[in-house]
Structures are given as C-alpha cells and as structure tokens.
Amino acid sequence: MTQTEAQPTHLPRTLTRDLAQHEGQQVRLQGFVHARRDLGGVQFVVLRDVSGLTQCVGSGLSLPLAESSVEVVGTVKAHPKAPGGFEVQIEVFQVISAAVEPAPVEIPKMEWNVNPETMLDYRVVTVRGLKERAALKVQAELVAAFRDHLSTEGFTEISTPKIVSAGAEGGANLFPIDYFGHPAYLAQSPQLYKQIMVGVFERVFEVAPVYRAEEHATSRHLNEYLSLDVEMGFIQDEEDVMALENRLLASIMARLKERCAAEFALLGATIPEVPAHIPRIPLMEARALVTEKYGHAVGGKDLDPEAERLLSQHYADTEGSDFVFVTKYPRAARPFYAHPDEGDLTRGFDLLFRGIEITSGGQRIHDHAMLMDSIAAYKLNPESLAGYTEVFKYGMPPHGGFAIGAERLTAKLLGIANVRYARAFPRDRHRLTP
Ligand code: AMO
C-alpha cells in the first residue's frame, strides 16, 4: 500500500501506550516524526504521541522531515527490541502537516550539546524534547494534585487581578505599566486578594502567574513564575497552616508516584518521602546551626542561599527529611502583614526543600488596629496602603496561608539546575521571546 491510498476512516485513533491491547490488529496512530531512517527498501519512523514512542516500519515511503505530524495505519506486531515492545507495520502513511525546515536540534537526543540560551531561543520546538516534556508534565500533574487536595479540604479556587495599583509584598521588584495613562503594576502576588476572599469562602487557593522585576539572573529567580497560593480562615496559629502544607505535599507526592513514575525515571529523579511531621526550626536557631556546624557566617536577615543549602543538608543527614520549615521569622525579615509573635518575632515561616526555599507563609494580622500599628512600626505610608487595610474593618477572622513557587518545586523535584527549564516559556532579565 502507498501513501496515496485513502485512509480507513472508521478506525478510531489509538495511542502508542495502548498498543499491547491491539497486538495483531490494525490501528490508526497520529503523532510526530520523532526519528526517521531510510534504508532504501525499508523505512523506519519513530512516531511520538502524547503517550510515548513507537517504531513504525514500512516500504516505498518517502519520509517527511522530522517533527512533521503524520498518520499511520498499520498492524501491531510484538517486537521486543522496539521501544514499548511493539512495532507497527505501516499499511497507510499520510503526512498531516509537513515540517518545512529541519528542527534546529535533534529532538530525540537526550543531551543537546548546545548553548542553553540557544535551546531557549528555539524553545518552540526544543520544548518537544522528551526531558522538557517530562518536566512540564510533572508540573501539570503537581498543579492538578494541588487543586484536588485543596478541594477535598474544602478550599475554593479564586482568580484575582494581575494588574494592580500597588505592590503586595513591598520591595522594589514591581513592574510598572501604563494603565490608560495611570500608573499601575503587574501583581507580585495575590496576597491581599486571597486574604479578602477568606471573608467569602474561608478557604481559598489560586494558581496563577505573578511578576517580579528581579534584576539579577540567578538559577532560582524568574520574572514571571507560577504561584500556588493558599489562604485559610479561622485558624489557631501558623501551625495549622504548616500542617495543611504538610498534608498537601504528601498528597502531591503520592499522586506523582502514581502518575509520573516514567517521567521521574526518564529524568533520573526520585520522589521524596514527605515526613508525617516535617521538622521545624526557628530562624535564629537555624542561623546559629549553620554557623556552628558548617562554619558558614550567614549574611542578611534571612538565610542566604548557602545557608539554605546547609540547613537542608543537616536535615537530610540527621532526619532523612528533604523538607524543613524555618519558623518564627523576626519582623525585620517579614512584610508588615505578618502576624506578630513574642518579642520581635512573627508567625511567618519558610519551607526549604532540597536546599532551596520553595514557600513563604504564615499567619497574617486580621485585626484592623493591629494592622495600622504594624504599618506605623514599619514606617510605611498608611494612605498608600488604604486599599490593603480596608477589608480589615469588616470582621476578618484569624487567617494564614502560603505560596509555593511551582518552578522551584518542579526544578528541585527533578534535579533541574535552573528554574528557567521548569517553565515552558521563561521570562528572565534578557528574555521576552518566545
Ligand atoms: P514570597 O515572595 O516569598 O512570598 O514568594 C513565595 C514563593 O514564590 C517563589 N518565588 C519565586 N520563584 C521564582 N522566581 C522568583 N523571582 C520568585 N520569587 C518568589 C518561591 C517563594 O518561596 N505572599 C507571599 C506568600 C504568602 O505569605 O502566602 C509571597 O509572595 O518559591
């Protein structure tokens, strides 16, 4: 049979992962030409679809360029050496959409010997690589698990503005925009809005990009990242919030074990065990520990990246935990909305995972008078924060929450060295395309 022969239209599409159920039968596959080999008399096509790869073999075919989308109708034969253990003997081969240029890199190669910037320049097609796809698949699954778990705990999904009149986190990393002649900004975080929505649904979450005008190119900072935000009302204190994040992470990892084993295997990564009770250490003790145990003098008010790495190392070595909560941040290291604790401490916490902060969270101030005092103590202008403080006049319950940076979590889960590769189309200091 040839390329020109009409396809049998009655045959439903089969995915490559389901070939075992069709041994000896005729199937219709659709996908991309992952790899191709023309031996004159015989042609081999490795077809890639969403579910995997399959080798197809035919004769008398003229093969299109790699990455073309094609349809194959053929018979499934067991073939132990082929990927997946089956091969499809091509009876009808149709090009659905031919590639008109060769891909800039060989997509099937697992390691590309190209400058990482070039890989990002050609991201529209390099993102089809198996490792790239696996990373994004794991992220999609973890986001789905985030949503599902929170739904089972009575949380409602919200959607809040990304164009705002003021920053939520303070600091200088706001992107200004021109909003019909008025100054505005891209949202740094849904912080205020998720708190407001606690007054509606009590327990809320949001999955959305946020924007940070970070000037520095580091392996942990993006200018646009996916923020997994949670906020819950009627809490006792920040322990309720940390316990929620502990359960949430356990549920996410269980789902990844169930659905993403192949992706983890491809990337040579392991899914962490989430302890029933993730260890906690107050910030000041954490700073002292890394200095005393590892001789590292910690800069700044928080933990610097090296201190985060060492503290994680300590908990991995002593408790076998890839996670540690750093608690009781002093006010100087937290935003004005953090709920005070004893002395100059707050009920704010961070969560470190495999050496990096993946979450900030804590209990927030819910009392209007306490919030106004905090704004004064931080020497902030109450007028510019009027939009933030308004809702606290209307009986907000004690509440708290946290945000997980999806790319940092994905990168650390999969051993990806730079968060840029944990996002399909990263935005960094020098990159606005593709
Ligand atoms: P924070 O500013 O610490 O807290 O951000 C929360 C988490 O978001 C991730 N993150 C980033 N990821 C990639 N690129 C960046 N530039 C970047 N900045 C932050 C990190 C970090 O832990 N409103 C609070 C959260 C809360 O209290 O609920 C907030 O935004 O994983």
Side-chain angles (χ1 to χ4, degrees), residues 169 189 191 194 212 214 220-222 225 229 337 357-361 364 401-403 405 408:
E169 300 301 317
S189 126
Q191 187 59 41
K194 66 177 179 172
R212 305 274 172 111
E214 315 277 0
R220 54 167 68 193
H221 289 101
L222 289 159
Y225 71 90
D229 271 273
Y337 59 72
E357 173 206 319
I358 58 158
T359 287
S360 283
R364 332 294 189 181
F402 57 88
R408 285 195 191 175

Side-chain angles (χ1 to χ4, degrees), residues 177-243:
I177 57 170
D178 173 9
Y179 194 67
F180 303 115
H182 298 283
Y185 305 94
L186 295 178
Q188 281 171 312
S189 126
Q191 187 59 41
L192 163 64
Y193 294 99
K194 66 177 179 172
Q195 291 184 252
I196 295 173
M197 293 307 282
V198 163
V200 182
F201 294 122
E202 301 177 16
R203 296 175 162 211
V204 297
F205 69 92
E206 178 164 15
V207 175
V210 294
Y211 302 88
R212 305 274 172 111
E214 315 277 0
E215 294 275 355
H216 310 290
T218 75
S219 60
R220 54 167 68 193
H221 289 101
L222 289 159
N223 295 111
E224 177 178 58
Y225 71 90
L226 187 64
S227 186
L228 307 179
D229 271 273
V230 175
E231 201 70 22
M232 78 194 280
F234 298 103
I235 60 170
Q236 199 63 44
D237 55 35
E238 78 276 30
E239 273 297 328
D240 289 341
V241 183
M242 287 188 276

Side-chain angles (χ1 to χ4, degrees), residues 232-388:
M232 78 194 280
F234 298 103
I235 60 170
Q236 199 63 44
D237 55 35
E238 78 276 30
E239 273 297 328
D240 289 341
V241 183
M242 287 188 276
L244 168 68
E245 184 166 20
N246 204 149
R247 292 192 297 278
L248 173 62
L249 287 166
S251 173
I252 290 175
M253 298 314 153
R255 163 102 159 222
L256 294 181
K257 259 187 198 151
E258 193 185 302
R259 305 216 184 160
C260 292
E263 284 76 11
F264 277 82
L266 181 75
L267 292 159
T270 51
I271 303 176
E273 292 302 321
V274 182
H277 184 82
I278 294 174
R280 289 131 164 80
I281 182 170
L283 175 72
M284 299 321 272
E285 286 178 32
R287 288 174 65 104
L289 187 150
V290 294
T291 305
E292 284 158 24
K293 180 167 175 180
Y294 299 101
H296 174 69
V298 189
K301 296 170 188 148
D302 196 340
L303 294 175
D304 54 38
E306 178 62 5
E308 288 182 358
R309 199 184 64 72
L310 294 170
L311 189 66
S312 280
Q313 186 68 55
H314 171 77
Y315 280 95
D317 292 345
T318 58
E319 299 197 25
S321 176
D322 283 349
F323 299 90
V324 53
F325 279 117
V326 182
T327 61
K328 306 282 179 209
Y329 272 74
R331 298 192 87 178
R334 255 9 214 200
F336 69 92
Y337 59 72
H339 197 290
D341 203 61
E342 283 152 28
D344 70 342
L345 301 179
T346 69
R347 297 185 183 172
F349 64 83
D350 275 7
L351 177 66
L352 308 189
F353 171 54
R354 293 180 177 168
I356 190 176
E357 173 206 319
I358 58 158
T359 287
S360 283
Q363 182 174 354
R364 332 294 189 181
I365 298 175
H366 61 278
D367 178 83
H368 186 260
M370 187 191 269
L371 189 60
M372 298 316 288
D373 287 349
S374 180
I375 287 171
Y378 276 75
K379 299 197 168 48
L380 297 169
N381 177 359
E383 273 157 43
S384 69
L385 289 169
Y388 183 92

